Amino acid sequence: MTITAGRSAMPQHVAIIMDGNGRWANARGLPRSAGHRKGVEALRTAVRAAGEMGIEYLTIFSFSSENWSRPPAEVSFLLDLMRHFVRQDVAELHRENVRIRIIGERQGLAPDIVALIEETELRTQANTGLTLVVAFNYGSRHEIATAARELALAVKSGRVAPDSITPELFGSFLSTEGIPDPDLLIRTSGEQRLSNYLLWQCAYTEFVFVDEFWPDFSRETMQRAITEYLARERRFGGLTAQSA
Ligand code: FPP
């Protein structure tokens, strides 16, 4: 892994926590589902903007492993929205040369959703434009524990020597294998926490928190977050050029 300290260049990988759909709807006296529906439109805007800005990887938190604890009607609405998004938008994203990867636990998901996920990845795997990483039924601690279990099995069977375990090797057991760490993480709705998202991958990520609720996310919001990121100095634990 090569990491270079200094003033930031355009981010290669942007991760987003799309938060505030419910509050956006409440503020308008609408059901939460209306916020999620509008959230899908904001997602389309974000994907298009990322592609046009030359961002190579965009990771979005679409459904966390903790979201199952919401009322059943909301969970089933979100799952239907995912089905709809995949059926409706993947053909267009494919035409736009977008590669789609879906990370998160597949075990226990409805078989039709697993089939949609597999089809989507297969269909778009040779695309060379933006890589859209969709975190679905994703939780970072679970991902890390699963990687540890697989690594332990690899050691037990003699395929991996304990001395060869490095952060890079461990990272290759995660679902984000082959994807560079996020440079910038944007969370909407003013909340300032990571909520079990990409805990390992965000070791040196710059965080930008914006006040807009997710349904109001626009190209300008993305541009502002990137401008803020570009003004930051990334040190990766080292010193800046001036203080060295
Ligand atoms: C957070 O708002 C948003 C979610 C839990 C779901 C995110 C999903 C979308 C934006 C659309 C779905 C996209 C796909 C691909 C399925 P919240 O409900 O936590 O809002 P609140 O914090 O205001 O209650």
Side-chain angles (χ1 to χ4, degrees):
M1 177 172 52
T2 46
I3 43 181
T4 332
R7 197 161 287 284
S8 315
M10 194 64 185
Q12 181 187 21
H13 182 174
V14 175
I16 302 186
I17 300 180
M18 312 182 286
D19 196 8
N21 293 349
R23 279 164 286 162
W24 180 91
N26 275 343
R28 287 160 180 76
L30 298 169
R32 293 175 59 81
S33 56
H36 295 315
R37 208 174 272 128
K38 189 87 167 78
V40 176
E41 284 175 36
L43 173 58
R44 292 188 182 115
T45 303
V47 173
R48 195 157 303 124
E52 287 167 15
M53 289 173 185
I55 289 161
E56 292 173 46
Y57 296 86
L58 179 70
T59 300
I60 52 151
F61 208 176
S62 79
F63 191 87
S64 84
S65 40
E66 287 75 30
N67 286 154
W68 296 106
S69 64
R70 294 188 176 203
E74 182 166 349
V75 169
S76 99
F77 185 84
L78 284 170
L79 296 180
D80 279 347
L81 216 51
M82 174 74 179
R83 288 183 177 98
H84 189 75
F85 176 77
V86 171
R87 292 209 187 96
Q88 180 107 353
D89 290 68
V90 167
E92 191 179 334
L93 292 172
H94 181 48
R95 274 195 300 280
E96 290 171 9
N97 199 22
V98 174
R99 182 164 62 128
I100 302 176
R101 262 179 76 168
I102 295 150
I103 59 170
E105 183 57 61
R106 293 186 191 182
Q107 221 169 8
L109 289 178
D112 73 300
I113 292 199
V114 176
L116 279 176
I117 287 175
E118 289 171 353
E119 260 169 59
T120 300
E121 289 193 323
L122 200 64
R123 185 169 179 195
T124 64
Q125 69 180 356
N127 290 345
T128 54
L130 172 77
T131 297
L132 174 64
V133 184
V134 180
F136 181 76
N137 196 22
Y138 175 86
S140 205
R141 286 185 171 178
H142 178 76
E143 177 193 33
I144 292 169
T146 302
R149 189 165 56 237
E150 282 170 14
L151 186 50
L153 289 172
V155 168
K156 195 174 168 198
S157 69
R159 282 178 289 131
V160 169
D163 285 351
S164 71
I165 299 174
T166 58
E168 287 73 24
L169 181 80
F170 190 84
S172 73
F173 280 78
L174 296 170
S175 62
T176 48
E177 196 260 318
I179 299 173
D181 289 340
D183 301 294
L184 165 65
L185 177 129
I186 304 169
R187 183 170 189 151
T188 57
S189 88
E191 304 291 345
Q192 303 195 354
R193 60 178 170 273
L194 213 38
S195 301
N196 204 15
Y197 187 47
L198 305 173
L199 300 180
W200 173 278
Q201 297 85 346
C202 283
Y204 288 105
T205 300
E206 296 291 331
F207 293 177
V208 172
F209 300 103
V210 301
D211 286 332
E212 286 103 316
F213 293 137
W214 176 252
D216 287 328
F217 188 91
S218 65
R219 164 181 284 282
E220 289 67 43
T221 321
M222 180 92 122
Q223 193 59 65
R224 250 191 300 118
I226 290 177
T227 303
E228 187 171 336
Y229 167 85
L230 291 173
R232 303 251 179 108
E233 190 144 24
R234 302 188 74 192
R235 297 203 293 273
F236 300 99
L239 297 177
T240 61
Q242 295 94 303
S243 54

